[in-house]
Every structure is written in C-alpha cells, then in structure tokens.
Amino acid sequence: MSGWVAVAGLGPGAGDLVTPEVAAALAEATDVVGYIPYVARIAPRPGLVLHPSDNRVELDRARHALDLAAAGRRVAVVSSGDPGVFAMASALFEALEGRGDAPEIRILPGITAMLAAAARLGAPLGHDFCAINLSDNLKPWALIEKRLRLAAQADFAMAFYNPRSRARPEGFARVLEILREECGPGRLISFARAVSTPDEAIRTTTLAEARPEMADMRTVVILGNSATRRVGPWVYTPRSAP
Ligand code: SAH
C-alpha cells in the first residue's frame, strides 16, 4: 500500500470547527505527527501511532513524516488552525526540497485563529488586512518592527499571532508603543484568547488602554483600521475605504 502525507489544520479548538475533510484524513491515518498539544487533541484508537514532538523542531518533524510515508504509512501532520498559516505546511515543502522521492501530499485547510476570533468579534477584518507573526524565532525583531510600522501607515487592519511569550515579555510592549505612535490612542484593539475552547476570553479596548499582559501565547490580537468601530456589542470594519 502506498503512503501519503496529509498536512491538516485542526481549527482553533472546538470539534465542530474541524472540517469533515480533516476528520476523514485522521480516520484513515496510521500515524499522527505534530507539536505535543496539537497531537493531544487527537483521540487515540487501536492502530494509530501518535508522534508528539517539541515546538522548535518543525523541519525534523516534516522529514520524519516524509520518511514514514516513504515506508508506506498514512501520515497526518497536524497544526492548529490552518496548516499554511505560521505552521507545518511550509516546513513540509522545505523538507521536500532536494529529496528524490515524493509521496502523495495533500494540504487540508482549517479555520485559522484570526478568522475564528473575527467571527466572535463581528467583522473587524471586513476590509483590507494583514497577518503578522510577532515571534522572532524565525526572523529578526527589526523586520517585525518595520512591517508593523509600514502596515500601520498603510492603514491595514492587522491580526497578530504569537503575540507574547515568556521568552520575550518585552516584545509585545514595544509593539503597542509603535502602534500608539502610528495609529493614535483611540484605535480599537481586540484580544481573543483560546477562541472556541472552554477557556475562551475576548475583550476589546483602545490602544490607550491596551496593556501587554492582555495577551499571551493563546491569544490572537486584532487591531482595527482607522474606520473600525463598535455597533452594540460588535466590532466591525466597513467595507468601503476610510
Ligand atoms: N496555524 C495556526 C497558528 C499557529 S501560531 C492558525 O492558523 O491559527 C500559534 C498562534 O496562533 C498563537 O500564539 C495564537 O496567536 C494563535 N492561536 C491559535 N489558536 C488560537 C485560539 N484558539 N485562540 C486564539 N488564538 C489562537
């Protein structure tokens, strides 16, 4: 039997937000490869081998998945949210480069954190927006600051992934400073934590009131553009240019 790799997005947390396509791939898989907390979301069953691994070993994990598939295994590589958004799909293709063999590969989309959060808030991403990963594991901090400033000057709404870790507590404080300089104190900013899980917590405030402690590594942060506003409990960005 020939092996395959499916790089699957598990969505933000809730079982209802796992697509039927991903559920079907998981049901056919012989092996699940991924970061420890994501593999922990997979229900064990006889014949399914779980391969949880630590966070910073994406390329090794991708190579391992390709090796298993080459040996005939059916491998699901799992990411939270969507596998193409700051996740395993790129790592898999990087591991594929330069290899002679290539198993069947499918990338199965999932609901990424910013879209799950935006739906809870209303429609903050209803006009042009961008997504920025605030982790400096894989890029220099100077590049993060440059992109942040230019995106703010271009008046994009923005979604920030990996806003704050214990290893970099000062980074997100600096992000808020830059945004206050570029966008002014009244700009709306929303903190959406653990969306669609029992720990979900969502709040919207202004840049003037925003504090670094409002975000952690389970939070996606959504900044409005200059026209983003509230209507009742909702936050939305009009579809026309400000
Ligand atoms: N591939 C994932 C993102 C991985 S990076 C996706 O598409 O969602 C990890 C970051 O995603 C976290 O630091 C956080 O910013 C965000 N995130 C993931 N799940 C989340 C959730 N349920 N609620 C809020 N943010 C989440």
Side-chain angles (χ1 to χ4, degrees):
M1 184 180 267
S2 58
W4 48 251
V5 177
V7 191
L10 299 177
D16 283 358
L17 299 182
V18 178
T19 69
E21 182 182 48
V22 166
L26 290 170
E28 288 172 21
T30 56
D31 297 76
V32 174
V33 171
Y35 177 37
I36 298 159
Y38 306 154
V39 173
R41 284 168 58 182
I42 307 302
R45 61 173 158 78
L48 182 67
V49 186
L50 302 177
H51 305 268
S53 50
D54 199 2
N55 201 8
R56 299 195 181 198
V57 295
E58 275 107 352
L59 261 186
D60 293 342
R61 194 188 288 148
R63 285 191 201 105
H64 183 209
L66 290 169
D67 290 343
L68 287 168
R73 311 285 295 177
R74 302 188 295 276
V75 187
V77 178
V78 292
S79 289
S80 74
D82 182 273
V85 179
F86 311 131
M88 280 303 294
S90 295
L92 190 91
F93 291 118
E94 202 175 328
L96 189 68
E97 270 180 332
R99 263 178 96 107
D101 59 328
E104 179 192 334
I105 293 173
R106 289 173 298 153
I107 309 298
L108 309 181
I111 297 175
T112 188
M114 69 177 174
L115 298 185
R120 284 285 195 271
L121 289 161
L125 304 178
H127 192 72
D128 297 343
F129 66 91
C130 65
I132 301 181
N133 185 349
L134 295 182
S135 166
D136 61 354
N137 283 347
L138 300 170
K139 63 188 166 187
W141 182 256
L143 183 62
I144 296 175
E145 289 203 7
K146 179 180 175 189
R147 288 187 175 154
L148 202 59
R149 252 183 222 288
L150 292 175
Q153 286 165 14
D155 202 15
F156 283 108
M158 293 180 228
F160 302 122
Y161 286 74
N162 293 309
R164 194 156 178 266
S165 70
R166 242 171 282 158
R168 304 172 280 110
E170 65 302 329
F172 188 60
R174 178 78 190 122
V175 165
L176 290 176
E177 262 173 43
I178 292 171
L179 293 175
R180 276 186 211 107
E181 276 171 40
E182 299 289 345
C183 307
R187 181 68 59 91
L188 291 181
I189 184 167
S190 301
F191 296 85
R193 179 169 195 274
V195 176
S196 89
T197 80
D199 302 327
E200 177 174 306
I202 295 182
R203 75 158 122 177
T204 298
T205 183
T206 59
L207 278 178
E209 302 289 325
R211 296 287 166 265
E213 317 75 71
M214 292 176 181
D216 65 8
M217 285 309 272
R218 295 184 75 192
T219 306
V220 65
V221 181
I222 296 190
L223 180 82
N225 75 9
S226 60
T228 302
R229 49 195 185 247
R230 296 179 191 257
V231 52
W234 303 101
V235 174
Y236 89 104
T237 302
R239 293 200 57 204
S240 51

